[in-house]
Amino acid sequence: MEHKKILGYFTINGTPGGNQDWLTEWDMNMGGCAAVTACDTCIFLSMRDEYRNLYPFNPEKLSRADFVRFAAIMKPYLSPRYHGIDFLETYICGFYDYMKKTGNNSLILEGLSGNANYDLFSEAVISQIDRNLPVPFLLLNHKDKRLDDFEWHWFNLTGYEKSDDDIKILTVTYGEYQWFSLKLIYSTGYERKGGIIRIFERAL
């Protein structure tokens, strides 16, 4: 039995999400992937009135120029560094600091390590997408060459397709969608893994 859900993700200049290649500062162009996924998540959430303050520009008129400006605003909170933002906790702390700056305290961020049991990990991914939320994903090293471009990289998951024998996930990064097996991405072949960020709405 198949079950499929794809988020109504935003586009800029006809491509999904922001694009790290647009960023003109060399450190952000090379290592700004964490900031880009946070910017994308904020833009996606800002389409809802209660989270409008997460994006400082007009979400109804998205542009490449505004995205580049937004990435520069996000940079102090999730700035590139020598080893990258290679821990979920670092990402969470930076994202929390940005949300605090915007006056938003209604979201809870929780990391789930890629070392978690696969069933728990896959259920967390599906649950978040079912709640109409993107999933920031950190992939560190991976032994499969098909994922070379995703190594030591943050990207968002924006959909899934579940069948009896597999779960495929829709990734978005560098302004492109790609489908992968979730089990493939999860099974890195390395002891140290990345993981995902889960987003919850604080109960009022």
PDB file of all heavy atoms in Angstrom, residues 31-63:
ATOM      1  N   GLY A  31      29.929  27.305   2.484  1.00  0.00           N
ATOM      2  CA  GLY A  31      29.503  26.580   3.668  1.00  0.00           C
ATOM      3  C   GLY A  31      28.253  27.115   4.336  1.00  0.00           C
ATOM      4  O   GLY A  31      28.091  26.946   5.546  1.00  0.00           O
ATOM      5  N   GLY A  32      27.378  27.729   3.568  1.00  0.00           N
ATOM      6  CA  GLY A  32      26.184  28.329   4.156  1.00  0.00           C
ATOM      7  C   GLY A  32      24.951  27.447   4.131  1.00  0.00           C
ATOM      8  O   GLY A  32      23.828  27.951   4.271  1.00  0.00           O
ATOM      9  N   CYS A  33      25.137  26.124   3.986  1.00  0.00           N
ATOM     10  CA  CYS A  33      23.969  25.247   3.805  1.00  0.00           C
ATOM     11  C   CYS A  33      23.050  25.229   5.015  1.00  0.00           C
ATOM     12  O   CYS A  33      21.822  25.168   4.863  1.00  0.00           O
ATOM     13  CB  CYS A  33      24.414  23.840   3.444  1.00  0.00           C
ATOM     14  SG  CYS A  33      25.576  23.085   4.604  1.00  0.00           S
ATOM     15  N   ALA A  34      23.598  25.307   6.222  1.00  0.00           N
ATOM     16  CA  ALA A  34      22.736  25.312   7.410  1.00  0.00           C
ATOM     17  C   ALA A  34      21.861  26.557   7.425  1.00  0.00           C
ATOM     18  O   ALA A  34      20.660  26.493   7.694  1.00  0.00           O
ATOM     19  CB  ALA A  34      23.578  25.229   8.679  1.00  0.00           C
ATOM     20  N   ALA A  35      22.469  27.703   7.138  1.00  0.00           N
ATOM     21  CA  ALA A  35      21.708  28.953   7.094  1.00  0.00           C
ATOM     22  C   ALA A  35      20.646  28.911   6.001  1.00  0.00           C
ATOM     23  O   ALA A  35      19.524  29.401   6.196  1.00  0.00           O
ATOM     24  CB  ALA A  35      22.654  30.131   6.879  1.00  0.00           C
ATOM     25  N   VAL A  36      20.981  28.315   4.866  1.00  0.00           N
ATOM     26  CA  VAL A  36      20.019  28.247   3.761  1.00  0.00           C
ATOM     27  C   VAL A  36      18.806  27.404   4.153  1.00  0.00           C
ATOM     28  O   VAL A  36      17.660  27.794   3.889  1.00  0.00           O
ATOM     29  CB  VAL A  36      20.692  27.683   2.492  1.00  0.00           C
ATOM     30  CG1 VAL A  36      19.642  27.322   1.434  1.00  0.00           C
ATOM     31  CG2 VAL A  36      21.671  28.710   1.914  1.00  0.00           C
ATOM     32  N   THR A  37      19.028  26.254   4.807  1.00  0.00           N
ATOM     33  CA  THR A  37      17.876  25.441   5.205  1.00  0.00           C
ATOM     34  C   THR A  37      17.028  26.162   6.252  1.00  0.00           C
ATOM     35  O   THR A  37      15.798  26.046   6.245  1.00  0.00           O
ATOM     36  CB  THR A  37      18.298  24.070   5.760  1.00  0.00           C
ATOM     37  OG1 THR A  37      19.088  24.244   6.932  1.00  0.00           O
ATOM     38  CG2 THR A  37      19.064  23.275   4.745  1.00  0.00           C
ATOM     39  N   ALA A  38      17.679  26.913   7.137  1.00  0.00           N
ATOM     40  CA  ALA A  38      16.919  27.681   8.127  1.00  0.00           C
ATOM     41  C   ALA A  38      16.112  28.782   7.449  1.00  0.00           C
ATOM     42  O   ALA A  38      14.952  29.022   7.795  1.00  0.00           O
ATOM     43  CB  ALA A  38      17.861  28.271   9.170  1.00  0.00           C
ATOM     44  N   CYS A  39      16.723  29.449   6.481  1.00  0.00           N
ATOM     45  CA  CYS A  39      15.998  30.484   5.723  1.00  0.00           C
ATOM     46  C   CYS A  39      14.797  29.873   5.008  1.00  0.00           C
ATOM     47  O   CYS A  39      13.689  30.425   5.045  1.00  0.00           O
ATOM     48  CB  CYS A  39      16.921  31.147   4.704  1.00  0.00           C
ATOM     49  SG  CYS A  39      18.172  32.246   5.404  1.00  0.00           S
ATOM     50  N   ASP A  40      15.014  28.750   4.349  1.00  0.00           N
ATOM     51  CA  ASP A  40      13.916  28.079   3.659  1.00  0.00           C
ATOM     52  C   ASP A  40      12.784  27.727   4.624  1.00  0.00           C
ATOM     53  O   ASP A  40      11.603  27.935   4.328  1.00  0.00           O
ATOM     54  CB  ASP A  40      14.416  26.792   2.999  1.00  0.00           C
ATOM     55  CG  ASP A  40      14.918  26.988   1.584  1.00  0.00           C
ATOM     56  OD1 ASP A  40      15.201  28.144   1.216  1.00  0.00           O
ATOM     57  OD2 ASP A  40      15.024  25.993   0.847  1.00  0.00           O
ATOM     58  N   THR A  41      13.157  27.199   5.784  1.00  0.00           N
ATOM     59  CA  THR A  41      12.150  26.809   6.768  1.00  0.00           C
ATOM     60  C   THR A  41      11.365  28.022   7.252  1.00  0.00           C
ATOM     61  O   THR A  41      10.131  27.976   7.383  1.00  0.00           O
ATOM     62  CB  THR A  41      12.819  26.092   7.954  1.00  0.00           C
ATOM     63  OG1 THR A  41      13.507  24.932   7.473  1.00  0.00           O
ATOM     64  CG2 THR A  41      11.795  25.686   8.997  1.00  0.00           C
ATOM     65  N   CYS A  42      12.070  29.119   7.490  1.00  0.00           N
ATOM     66  CA  CYS A  42      11.392  30.346   7.934  1.00  0.00           C
ATOM     67  C   CYS A  42      10.443  30.883   6.869  1.00  0.00           C
ATOM     68  O   CYS A  42       9.327  31.316   7.175  1.00  0.00           O
ATOM     69  CB  CYS A  42      12.429  31.416   8.292  1.00  0.00           C
ATOM     70  SG  CYS A  42      13.306  31.109   9.836  1.00  0.00           S
ATOM     71  N   ILE A  43      10.887  30.860   5.627  1.00  0.00           N
ATOM     72  CA  ILE A  43      10.022  31.345   4.542  1.00  0.00           C
ATOM     73  C   ILE A  43       8.772  30.466   4.444  1.00  0.00           C
ATOM     74  O   ILE A  43       7.646  30.964   4.329  1.00  0.00           O
ATOM     75  CB  ILE A  43      10.781  31.377   3.203  1.00  0.00           C
ATOM     76  CG1 ILE A  43      11.873  32.453   3.243  1.00  0.00           C
ATOM     77  CG2 ILE A  43       9.819  31.645   2.049  1.00  0.00           C
ATOM     78  CD1 ILE A  43      12.807  32.425   2.046  1.00  0.00           C
ATOM     79  N   PHE A  44       8.973  29.163   4.489  1.00  0.00           N
ATOM     80  CA  PHE A  44       7.835  28.239   4.414  1.00  0.00           C
ATOM     81  C   PHE A  44       6.847  28.507   5.547  1.00  0.00           C
ATOM     82  O   PHE A  44       5.633  28.594   5.321  1.00  0.00           O
ATOM     83  CB  PHE A  44       8.346  26.799   4.470  1.00  0.00           C
ATOM     84  CG  PHE A  44       7.269  25.770   4.298  1.00  0.00           C
ATOM     85  CD1 PHE A  44       6.888  25.346   3.038  1.00  0.00           C
ATOM     86  CD2 PHE A  44       6.634  25.215   5.398  1.00  0.00           C
ATOM     87  CE1 PHE A  44       5.880  24.392   2.875  1.00  0.00           C
ATOM     88  CE2 PHE A  44       5.632  24.266   5.256  1.00  0.00           C
ATOM     89  CZ  PHE A  44       5.260  23.852   3.992  1.00  0.00           C
ATOM     90  N   LEU A  45       7.350  28.666   6.765  1.00  0.00           N
ATOM     91  CA  LEU A  45       6.481  28.911   7.911  1.00  0.00           C
ATOM     92  C   LEU A  45       5.823  30.289   7.847  1.00  0.00           C
ATOM     93  O   LEU A  45       4.699  30.474   8.327  1.00  0.00           O
ATOM     94  CB  LEU A  45       7.274  28.776   9.203  1.00  0.00           C
ATOM     95  CG  LEU A  45       7.688  27.358   9.601  1.00  0.00           C
ATOM     96  CD1 LEU A  45       8.697  27.389  10.737  1.00  0.00           C
ATOM     97  CD2 LEU A  45       6.465  26.535   9.998  1.00  0.00           C
ATOM     98  N   SER A  46       6.509  31.264   7.271  1.00  0.00           N
ATOM     99  CA  SER A  46       5.988  32.636   7.247  1.00  0.00           C
ATOM    100  C   SER A  46       4.750  32.785   6.384  1.00  0.00           C
ATOM    101  O   SER A  46       4.087  33.829   6.422  1.00  0.00           O
ATOM    102  CB  SER A  46       7.069  33.607   6.773  1.00  0.00           C
ATOM    103  OG  SER A  46       7.281  33.517   5.379  1.00  0.00           O
ATOM    104  N   MET A  47       4.421  31.772   5.599  1.00  0.00           N
ATOM    105  CA  MET A  47       3.181  31.801   4.827  1.00  0.00           C
ATOM    106  C   MET A  47       1.957  31.725   5.742  1.00  0.00           C
ATOM    107  O   MET A  47       0.844  32.038   5.330  1.00  0.00           O
ATOM    108  CB  MET A  47       3.147  30.637   3.824  1.00  0.00           C
ATOM    109  CG  MET A  47       4.351  30.549   2.906  1.00  0.00           C
ATOM    110  SD  MET A  47       4.470  31.938   1.751  1.00  0.00           S
ATOM    111  CE  MET A  47       5.947  31.489   0.833  1.00  0.00           C
ATOM    112  N   ARG A  48       2.187  31.311   6.995  1.00  0.00           N
ATOM    113  CA  ARG A  48       1.122  31.270   7.994  1.00  0.00           C
ATOM    114  C   ARG A  48       1.211  32.530   8.852  1.00  0.00           C
ATOM    115  O   ARG A  48       2.302  32.953   9.255  1.00  0.00           O
ATOM    116  CB  ARG A  48       1.277  30.023   8.857  1.00  0.00           C
ATOM    117  CG  ARG A  48       1.097  28.737   8.087  1.00  0.00           C
ATOM    118  CD  ARG A  48       1.568  27.514   8.852  1.00  0.00           C
ATOM    119  NE  ARG A  48       0.979  27.405  10.174  1.00  0.00           N
ATOM    120  CZ  ARG A  48       1.223  26.395  11.005  1.00  0.00           C
ATOM    121  NH1 ARG A  48       2.052  25.415  10.639  1.00  0.00           N
ATOM    122  NH2 ARG A  48       0.654  26.349  12.199  1.00  0.00           N
ATOM    123  N   ASP A  49       0.073  33.112   9.153  1.00  0.00           N
ATOM    124  CA  ASP A  49       0.037  34.397   9.851  1.00  0.00           C
ATOM    125  C   ASP A  49       0.799  34.374  11.177  1.00  0.00           C
ATOM    126  O   ASP A  49       1.487  35.334  11.525  1.00  0.00           O
ATOM    127  CB  ASP A  49      -1.413  34.825  10.109  1.00  0.00           C
ATOM    128  CG  ASP A  49      -2.125  35.251   8.839  1.00  0.00           C
ATOM    129  OD1 ASP A  49      -1.444  35.525   7.834  1.00  0.00           O
ATOM    130  OD2 ASP A  49      -3.370  35.301   8.856  1.00  0.00           O
ATOM    131  N   GLU A  50       0.689  33.271  11.917  1.00  0.00           N
ATOM    132  CA  GLU A  50       1.299  33.233  13.243  1.00  0.00           C
ATOM    133  C   GLU A  50       2.828  33.196  13.189  1.00  0.00           C
ATOM    134  O   GLU A  50       3.497  33.442  14.194  1.00  0.00           O
ATOM    135  CB  GLU A  50       0.774  32.056  14.063  1.00  0.00           C
ATOM    136  CG  GLU A  50       1.048  30.692  13.472  1.00  0.00           C
ATOM    137  CD  GLU A  50      -0.083  30.180  12.610  1.00  0.00           C
ATOM    138  OE1 GLU A  50      -0.667  30.982  11.856  1.00  0.00           O
ATOM    139  OE2 GLU A  50      -0.381  28.970  12.698  1.00  0.00           O
ATOM    140  N   TYR A  51       3.382  32.892  12.004  1.00  0.00           N
ATOM    141  CA  TYR A  51       4.840  32.844  11.876  1.00  0.00           C
ATOM    142  C   TYR A  51       5.363  33.867  10.865  1.00  0.00           C
ATOM    143  O   TYR A  51       6.498  33.779  10.402  1.00  0.00           O
ATOM    144  CB  TYR A  51       5.290  31.438  11.469  1.00  0.00           C
ATOM    145  CG  TYR A  51       4.852  30.385  12.453  1.00  0.00           C
ATOM    146  CD1 TYR A  51       4.073  29.307  12.046  1.00  0.00           C
ATOM    147  CD2 TYR A  51       5.198  30.473  13.797  1.00  0.00           C
ATOM    148  CE1 TYR A  51       3.650  28.347  12.959  1.00  0.00           C
ATOM    149  CE2 TYR A  51       4.786  29.527  14.718  1.00  0.00           C
ATOM    150  CZ  TYR A  51       4.011  28.466  14.286  1.00  0.00           C
ATOM    151  OH  TYR A  51       3.605  27.527  15.189  1.00  0.00           O
ATOM    152  N   ARG A  52       4.538  34.851  10.573  1.00  0.00           N
ATOM    153  CA  ARG A  52       4.903  35.852   9.569  1.00  0.00           C
ATOM    154  C   ARG A  52       6.202  36.575   9.924  1.00  0.00           C
ATOM    155  O   ARG A  52       6.979  36.957   9.040  1.00  0.00           O
ATOM    156  CB  ARG A  52       3.749  36.860   9.428  1.00  0.00           C
ATOM    157  CG  ARG A  52       4.022  38.017   8.491  1.00  0.00           C
ATOM    158  CD  ARG A  52       4.211  37.561   7.050  1.00  0.00           C
ATOM    159  NE  ARG A  52       4.634  38.675   6.211  1.00  0.00           N
ATOM    160  CZ  ARG A  52       5.887  39.085   6.090  1.00  0.00           C
ATOM    161  NH1 ARG A  52       6.851  38.493   6.775  1.00  0.00           N
ATOM    162  NH2 ARG A  52       6.179  40.094   5.302  1.00  0.00           N
ATOM    163  N   ASN A  53       6.477  36.748  11.225  1.00  0.00           N
ATOM    164  CA  ASN A  53       7.649  37.521  11.629  1.00  0.00           C
ATOM    165  C   ASN A  53       8.962  36.769  11.436  1.00  0.00           C
ATOM    166  O   ASN A  53      10.039  37.348  11.622  1.00  0.00           O
ATOM    167  CB  ASN A  53       7.526  37.958  13.094  1.00  0.00           C
ATOM    168  CG  ASN A  53       7.373  36.786  14.064  1.00  0.00           C
ATOM    169  OD1 ASN A  53       7.229  35.638  13.637  1.00  0.00           O
ATOM    170  ND2 ASN A  53       7.399  37.066  15.349  1.00  0.00           N
ATOM    171  N   LEU A  54       8.915  35.501  11.043  1.00  0.00           N
ATOM    172  CA  LEU A  54      10.157  34.758  10.824  1.00  0.00           C
ATOM    173  C   LEU A  54      10.887  35.186   9.556  1.00  0.00           C
ATOM    174  O   LEU A  54      12.084  34.931   9.407  1.00  0.00           O
ATOM    175  CB  LEU A  54       9.869  33.251  10.756  1.00  0.00           C
ATOM    176  CG  LEU A  54       9.491  32.575  12.073  1.00  0.00           C
ATOM    177  CD1 LEU A  54       9.124  31.114  11.828  1.00  0.00           C
ATOM    178  CD2 LEU A  54      10.614  32.676  13.098  1.00  0.00           C
ATOM    179  N   TYR A  55      10.187  35.845   8.645  1.00  0.00           N
ATOM    180  CA  TYR A  55      10.802  36.278   7.382  1.00  0.00           C
ATOM    181  C   TYR A  55      10.686  37.793   7.276  1.00  0.00           C
ATOM    182  O   TYR A  55       9.582  38.334   7.320  1.00  0.00           O
ATOM    183  CB  TYR A  55      10.099  35.605   6.197  1.00  0.00           C
ATOM    184  CG  TYR A  55      10.666  35.961   4.854  1.00  0.00           C
ATOM    185  CD1 TYR A  55      12.014  35.753   4.562  1.00  0.00           C
ATOM    186  CD2 TYR A  55       9.849  36.504   3.857  1.00  0.00           C
ATOM    187  CE1 TYR A  55      12.525  36.084   3.316  1.00  0.00           C
ATOM    188  CE2 TYR A  55      10.351  36.823   2.610  1.00  0.00           C
ATOM    189  CZ  TYR A  55      11.698  36.615   2.339  1.00  0.00           C
ATOM    190  OH  TYR A  55      12.210  36.943   1.112  1.00  0.00           O
ATOM    191  N   PRO A  56      11.806  38.492   7.130  1.00  0.00           N
ATOM    192  CA  PRO A  56      11.771  39.956   7.201  1.00  0.00           C
ATOM    193  C   PRO A  56      11.310  40.653   5.933  1.00  0.00           C
ATOM    194  O   PRO A  56      11.208  41.883   5.915  1.00  0.00           O
ATOM    195  CB  PRO A  56      13.237  40.312   7.503  1.00  0.00           C
ATOM    196  CG  PRO A  56      14.027  39.205   6.900  1.00  0.00           C
ATOM    197  CD  PRO A  56      13.182  37.971   7.078  1.00  0.00           C
ATOM    198  N   PHE A  57      11.023  39.890   4.885  1.00  0.00           N
ATOM    199  CA  PHE A  57      10.577  40.494   3.633  1.00  0.00           C
ATOM    200  C   PHE A  57       9.171  39.990   3.299  1.00  0.00           C
ATOM    201  O   PHE A  57       8.512  39.391   4.154  1.00  0.00           O
ATOM    202  CB  PHE A  57      11.584  40.194   2.510  1.00  0.00           C
ATOM    203  CG  PHE A  57      12.995  40.621   2.848  1.00  0.00           C
ATOM    204  CD1 PHE A  57      13.951  39.679   3.209  1.00  0.00           C
ATOM    205  CD2 PHE A  57      13.350  41.968   2.856  1.00  0.00           C
ATOM    206  CE1 PHE A  57      15.247  40.063   3.546  1.00  0.00           C
ATOM    207  CE2 PHE A  57      14.639  42.370   3.196  1.00  0.00           C
ATOM    208  CZ  PHE A  57      15.581  41.413   3.543  1.00  0.00           C
ATOM    209  N   ASN A  58       8.713  40.218   2.102  1.00  0.00           N
ATOM    210  CA  ASN A  58       7.345  39.865   1.730  1.00  0.00           C
ATOM    211  C   ASN A  58       7.280  38.432   1.203  1.00  0.00           C
ATOM    212  O   ASN A  58       7.816  38.149   0.126  1.00  0.00           O
ATOM    213  CB  ASN A  58       6.839  40.838   0.660  1.00  0.00           C
ATOM    214  CG  ASN A  58       5.367  40.626   0.323  1.00  0.00           C
ATOM    215  OD1 ASN A  58       4.749  39.662   0.788  1.00  0.00           O
ATOM    216  ND2 ASN A  58       4.806  41.506  -0.485  1.00  0.00           N
ATOM    217  N   PRO A  59       6.645  37.512   1.937  1.00  0.00           N
ATOM    218  CA  PRO A  59       6.583  36.120   1.464  1.00  0.00           C
ATOM    219  C   PRO A  59       5.703  35.942   0.240  1.00  0.00           C
ATOM    220  O   PRO A  59       5.743  34.883  -0.400  1.00  0.00           O
ATOM    221  CB  PRO A  59       6.020  35.366   2.668  1.00  0.00           C
ATOM    222  CG  PRO A  59       5.240  36.386   3.426  1.00  0.00           C
ATOM    223  CD  PRO A  59       5.964  37.683   3.235  1.00  0.00           C
ATOM    224  N   GLU A  60       4.925  36.963  -0.084  1.00  0.00           N
ATOM    225  CA  GLU A  60       4.083  36.883  -1.276  1.00  0.00           C
ATOM    226  C   GLU A  60       4.833  37.304  -2.534  1.00  0.00           C
ATOM    227  O   GLU A  60       4.357  37.087  -3.649  1.00  0.00           O
ATOM    228  CB  GLU A  60       2.843  37.776  -1.101  1.00  0.00           C
ATOM    229  CG  GLU A  60       2.000  37.433   0.118  1.00  0.00           C
ATOM    230  CD  GLU A  60       1.455  36.021   0.070  1.00  0.00           C
ATOM    231  OE1 GLU A  60       1.134  35.544  -1.038  1.00  0.00           O
ATOM    232  OE2 GLU A  60       1.359  35.397   1.141  1.00  0.00           O
ATOM    233  N   LYS A  61       5.997  37.906  -2.353  1.00  0.00           N
ATOM    234  CA  LYS A  61       6.805  38.364  -3.492  1.00  0.00           C
ATOM    235  C   LYS A  61       8.260  37.953  -3.268  1.00  0.00           C
ATOM    236  O   LYS A  61       9.134  38.777  -3.039  1.00  0.00           O
ATOM    237  CB  LYS A  61       6.695  39.880  -3.665  1.00  0.00           C
ATOM    238  CG  LYS A  61       5.298  40.366  -4.026  1.00  0.00           C
ATOM    239  CD  LYS A  61       5.270  41.876  -4.223  1.00  0.00           C
ATOM    240  CE  LYS A  61       3.878  42.362  -4.617  1.00  0.00           C
ATOM    241  NZ  LYS A  61       3.836  43.852  -4.802  1.00  0.00           N
ATOM    242  N   LEU A  62       8.496  36.656  -3.317  1.00  0.00           N
ATOM    243  CA  LEU A  62       9.830  36.132  -3.075  1.00  0.00           C
ATOM    244  C   LEU A  62      10.753  36.453  -4.249  1.00  0.00           C
ATOM    245  O   LEU A  62      10.342  36.392  -5.409  1.00  0.00           O
ATOM    246  CB  LEU A  62       9.768  34.613  -2.867  1.00  0.00           C
ATOM    247  CG  LEU A  62       8.936  34.143  -1.676  1.00  0.00           C
ATOM    248  CD1 LEU A  62       8.815  32.623  -1.697  1.00  0.00           C
ATOM    249  CD2 LEU A  62       9.556  34.612  -0.368  1.00  0.00           C
ATOM    250  N   SER A  63      11.982  36.779  -3.931  1.00  0.00           N
ATOM    251  CA  SER A  63      12.947  37.092  -4.980  1.00  0.00           C
ATOM    252  C   SER A  63      14.327  36.599  -4.563  1.00  0.00           C
ATOM    253  O   SER A  63      14.624  36.429  -3.378  1.00  0.00           O
ATOM    254  CB  SER A  63      13.006  38.605  -5.234  1.00  0.00           C
ATOM    255  OG  SER A  63      13.607  39.280  -4.140  1.00  0.00           O
TER     256      SER A  63
END
